[in-house]
Amino acid sequence: MSRLLVLFSVWLFTLGCGAETPAPAALPPAADPVSAPAGTRRFLALGDSYTIGQGVPAADRWGVQLAWLAQAEGLQKPDIIARTGWTTEQLREAIVAANPPASYELVSLMIGVNNQFQGLPLAEYRTDFRELLQTAIRLAGGRPGRVVVLSIPDWGQSRMGRSYSQAAISQEIDQFNDAARQECAAAGVAFLDITDLTRATSYDPAQFASDGLHYSGLHMQQWATRALLLVRRLVQ
């Protein structure tokens, strides 16, 4: 691929992602049932545009939906360190700058799609991911059992993904996810595969945000529902 075509592809992907909008300092409260207990378990979500929920209301973010579903477990709405376009290196730097306390009852990590899209080496991703995993464990009070990693979605199945080689994207996504799964197993951290859900969208507009690349609240509800069963075991 020529340099001009690569630059054009990156420009196109950036348009689809939108501006790198930082997550707000505080999220609006979810609609809690009257009988629900007050949240007592702090939740930190680390990642990129998928963690922010690019293009959807804050209440539709998968982590916020998970907190609403896990009210009985006392899970609070997540604090978020994430931004659209972040690679593993940028997330690592942002965590250092934010210096969050190592006192969370649950920490989620979902990162790597921008490494894959930018063509960064898989070996580099593995090294960075391993470090991020150890950081997530530290922020969970040194408890690997309170960390959950979500797999990288297959954006090749989105409307925007039609402009690229879907087979190549899927293959690379699988390679990155395999590396993350192996590192999670070595560290004793739960790995939650949601990639199959993103491959079953069938280009349905209801499954995507208005940019045709990121996911709708309706779709991310599937991530939250799948995560709920795992999280209930992790925080019990």
Side-chain angles (χ1 to χ4, degrees):
M1 182 183 292
S2 69
R3 179 177 178 82
L4 180 60
L5 182 55
V6 170
L7 291 174
F8 176 75
S9 297
V10 173
W11 173 80
L12 179 61
F13 191 82
T14 303
L15 280 181
C17 289
E20 292 189 358
T21 305
L27 300 177
D32 298 335
V34 174
S35 59
T40 56
R41 290 182 166 130
R42 299 185 66 196
F43 173 20
L44 175 64
L46 307 172
D48 49 35
S49 58
Y50 296 132
T51 297
I52 289 176
Q54 180 73 33
V56 302
D60 285 347
R61 294 167 174 162
W62 81 266
V64 176
Q65 294 196 61
L66 172 61
W68 190 87
L69 291 171
Q71 290 176 95
E73 288 70 36
L75 195 65
Q76 294 181 357
K77 296 186 303 297
D79 295 332
I80 295 176
I81 301 178
R83 184 175 294 184
T84 298
W86 272 357
T87 62
T88 47
E89 180 180 2
Q90 290 167 313
L91 175 59
R92 187 177 68 244
E93 293 172 349
I95 295 172
V96 171
N99 192 28
S103 58
Y104 287 92
E105 295 294 320
L106 180 69
V107 178
S108 69
L109 176 62
M110 189 180 193
I111 192 71
V113 69
N114 294 296
N115 293 66
Q116 178 272 325
F117 175 76
Q118 294 179 28
L120 300 179
L122 178 61
E124 178 182 302
Y125 169 74
R126 183 188 286 272
T127 299
D128 286 353
F129 182 84
R130 185 182 301 142
E131 183 176 335
L132 283 169
L133 206 53
Q134 292 305 312
T135 297
I137 292 170
R138 177 179 60 80
L139 294 174
R143 298 169 292 180
R146 292 300 179 91
V147 178
V148 58
V149 170
L150 273 69
S151 65
I152 302 171
D154 189 343
W155 62 273
Q157 304 302 314
S158 68
R159 185 183 69 206
M160 184 177 171
R162 295 181 180 184
S163 303
Y164 299 81
S165 170
Q166 295 172 330
I169 293 170
S170 293
Q171 182 180 32
E172 291 177 4
I173 291 292
D174 285 344
Q175 291 171 348
F176 276 71
N177 280 331
D178 284 345
R181 184 183 290 107
Q182 292 164 13
E183 293 301 323
C184 285
V189 167
F191 182 86
L192 182 67
D193 194 341
I194 54 87
T195 307
D196 63 318
L197 297 174
T198 67
R199 287 174 173 162
T201 53
S202 301
Y203 308 108
D204 177 7
Q207 303 294 313
F208 294 94
S210 59
D211 62 12
L213 172 62
H214 295 95
Y215 298 94
S216 67
L218 178 66
H219 178 79
M220 287 189 287
Q221 184 180 54
Q222 298 179 67
W223 303 358
T225 301
R226 183 171 287 185
L228 177 63
L229 298 178
L230 173 60
V231 167
R232 279 177 171 163
R233 294 199 301 270
L234 296 182
V235 301
Q236 66 182 3

